Amino acid sequence: MAQQLEFTMGGLLDHVAERYPANDALVYPERGLRYSYREFNGVCRQVAKGLLRLGIKKGDNVAIWAYNVPEWVVLMFASAKIGAILVTVNTAYKSAELEYLLNQSDSTTLFMVKSWKDTDYVATLTDVVPELPVTKPGELNNPKLPFLKTVVFIGEETPAGMLNFNQIMEMGKEVSDAELAAAEATVDKHDTIQMQYTSGTTGFPKGVMLTSHNLVNNGFFIGECMKFTEKDRLCIPVPFFHCFGSVLAVLASVTHGTAMVPVEIFDPLKVLQTIAAERCTAVHGVPTMFIAELEHPDFAKYDLSSLRTGIMAGSVCPIEVMKRCVKDMNLTEITSVYGQTESSPGITQTRTEDSVELRVSTVGRALPGAEVKITDIETGATLPPGKQGELCARGYMVMKGYYKMPEETAKVIDADGWLHTGDLAVMDENGYCKITGRIKQMIIRGGENIYPKEIEEYLYTHPKISDVQIYGVPDRKYGEQVMAAVIVKKGEAMTEDEVREYCRGKIANYKIPKYVKFVEGYPMTASGKIQKFKLREMAIKELQLEEGEGA
């Protein structure tokens, strides 16, 4: 069994700051910000004290809604130091999703930036909590969100009703080292420390409860598979709110004393500039990000010779893209990771010494300390190599469960502790796995997991819609796109734009159907179940999409 780390997340940072005090920890070239591990730990301690002064206690849920700003990483460790639970909010969320998450998570505090892309966060939150601008900071009282009391703004010009992140830093000065040490002493490595929301087949997102032990070790072993050391420098263009950012990037780095060089909002040119300027040795991304970097008109202007490794994950890695990354970006040791939020997230990973063929045709073998098996969907029996079945995983990385959803937890974690992923896979005799399909009807668009049920539940609220089925169709750029087959109520007429317009501002843009088809009925099984795979096949034919376009 691989040797696991025994630190809490807060304790890990203390240890690394002691071991590599002068090493770069967090670097934002555009901001002129460069924290050494000693400085970074000092800032995290200061914010942890500020959280205590704010009245945040161990076990309180604290949400963050922001792109890759420095405060995100600081808050991740500051909250962990005092045992508060960081609830990560998808940057693409709109009002209905935000309200659901804040309510379901019982978050007492929300940290947020002003906006992201086309979404004005302040207006969106005010839509959910109209009384915010006329309420004294820290005294929110909304019957729909009974737990939410405080909103903290990250940035200049704090909106009415909110505190500013800098005030939390100042408040930290009123708390002694002894008080912080006392709070830290109560935190156990098996306490929930982060809650990430993943959509479910029930249609409503579920809060995945992850512990320090889950996250620190997953980050550590993922870093080990890339052969990270204190000399590595990782460019991070993937979002922190996903495990890809917070675990595969941040914790893979911190467990090895590696420098983190984030890109705040993905832009292929900024990634190239950052790698060249900071001599990054590693870079992460989903396939669409690597394609955008490789195809940028200024690609050849940047010296990427410092690169060595990184992770391409989030959806199927096209062979040609992986080969171009190796050849043109110098990523000779790039790896791929497979997993899901419920497993912190990594389950399998290719290794730096694996052949390019293995790295593109499989998702690797079990991470150290993880067990993987393929089981028969009907009987649950373990299958031999070469047979397709459901991929199940067990080990230190399996979540505690879904927040306040014991029945849903029991559906995915069996009595023996095996996590049932819902993914179909084949394992070879060396333990290398290929993902061959999905039992669940999940759509993966550009690395974002989309659960049809969630969009269906929302569209059912449209007064003209009688029934709707959401499914994925192949797309060369994103892997898959969302398609809706809509049955309109008798006597009503509807356009494709009406369907999309109804979603705008209410659900994340990436979930809005690209294709809408109006139908009279659906293909059914003899027992009356809708056959989504047939809807998909029909769409591929009608829209002249190729199954090989990345599906």
Side-chain angles (χ1 to χ4, degrees), residues 136-172:
K136 192 178 168 199
E139 293 182 10
L140 257 185
N141 188 12
N142 183 295
K144 289 191 294 185
L145 301 171
F147 284 82
L148 187 66
K149 298 295 168 215
T150 309
V151 181
V152 181
F153 189 71
I154 297 167
E156 307 296 317
E157 296 173 24
T158 312
M162 303 187 195
L163 292 170
N164 190 281
F165 194 87
N166 294 333
Q167 286 172 269
I168 308 298
M169 296 273 287
E170 282 302 306
M171 287 157 69

Side-chain angles (χ1 to χ4, degrees), residues 110-124:
L110 172 65
F111 287 79
M112 63 184 282
V113 290
K114 186 179 182 183
S115 59
W116 178 81
K117 294 192 175 176
D118 67 338
T119 307
D120 180 331
Y121 283 3
V122 178
T124 304

